[in-house]
Amino acid sequence: FEPLEPRLLLSADISFTAVTASDLTVRLQDVENTQHVQIVLADEAAENGEIIVESQELALTSSITLTGSVQSDRFNIDLTGLTDPLSLNIDIIDDGNDQFADILSYKGFDADWLVSDLNAGQVNGIDFTGIENLLGSDLADDFIIVDGAGLTGGIDGGDGLNALDMSSLLSP
């Protein structure tokens, strides 16, 4: 038998599950001249007001999953600095308990939002479920709501040029 060389197994997936109401951000950050994707938890008591809960080189990252708590959560996706918004597979999952108001915000690119079910859909390839409120950015946001879909919260397009398309809804 020939000896095998040592190998290092790298996980290409990163994830975080919130236990209590959380304000989470996915962002890109330069760490020692290498671009990293980070999941950051806002925490007023922490140094700089945040805790980096996951950090991994962007080149090694294939997917990101954020899972919310049973309380109100805020998910901020900031892809500023990324060349292609579809290069990362991101899933946002919440319990869908609309007693609490979860928020998904997106920035870094013009955004095409598709609400395809109750509190569920996609924004630029990012899948979300159980999110009651959508928040656009200062860029263009196009919101499409298909028949049978909707939000129990609302839509705030942000400061950019915004459009709302409900043309596929059946008339009463």
Side-chain angles (χ1 to χ4, degrees), residues 45-155:
E47 185 177 336
N48 299 323
E50 64 184 30
I51 299 169
I52 299 170
V53 294
E54 292 284 347
S55 182
Q56 181 170 285
E57 284 185 37
L58 177 60
L60 301 176
T61 305
S62 61
S63 72
I64 300 167
T65 302
L66 298 179
T67 304
S69 71
V70 296
Q71 298 172 323
S72 297
D73 299 300
R74 182 181 177 111
F75 303 94
N76 308 292
I77 309 300
D78 183 356
L79 300 181
T80 303
L82 191 64
T83 56
D84 177 10
L86 300 177
S87 63
L88 276 176
N89 178 26
I90 302 175
D91 292 308
I92 311 293
I93 304 164
D94 204 81
D95 70 349
N97 180 353
D98 56 28
Q99 176 184 6
F100 297 103
D102 300 303
I103 299 170
L104 173 59
S105 73
Y106 178 89
K107 70 179 190 176
F109 291 91
D110 291 343
D112 293 319
W113 299 80
L114 173 65
V115 179
S116 56
D117 206 342
L118 181 62
N119 299 328
Q122 286 190 338
V123 55
N124 286 9
I126 298 170
D127 293 318
F128 63 88
T129 58
I131 304 297
E132 294 85 13
N133 297 282
L134 305 179
L135 176 59
S137 70
D138 57 352
L139 299 174
D141 291 290
D142 293 327
F143 296 90
I144 299 171
I145 301 175
V146 301
D147 191 41
L151 299 168
T152 55
I155 294 173

Side-chain angles (χ1 to χ4, degrees), residues 17-68:
T17 299
V19 177
T20 63
S22 298
D23 186 340
L24 298 167
T25 299
V26 173
R27 70 178 182 201
L28 301 177
Q29 186 73 33
D30 186 55
V31 177
E32 298 177 4
N33 297 320
T34 303
Q35 197 169 37
H36 279 66
V37 62
Q38 296 180 332
I39 300 174
V40 179
L41 174 65
D43 184 342
E44 293 176 6
E47 185 177 336
N48 299 323
E50 64 184 30
I51 299 169
I52 299 170
V53 294
E54 292 284 347
S55 182
Q56 181 170 285
E57 284 185 37
L58 177 60
L60 301 176
T61 305
S62 61
S63 72
I64 300 167
T65 302
L66 298 179
T67 304

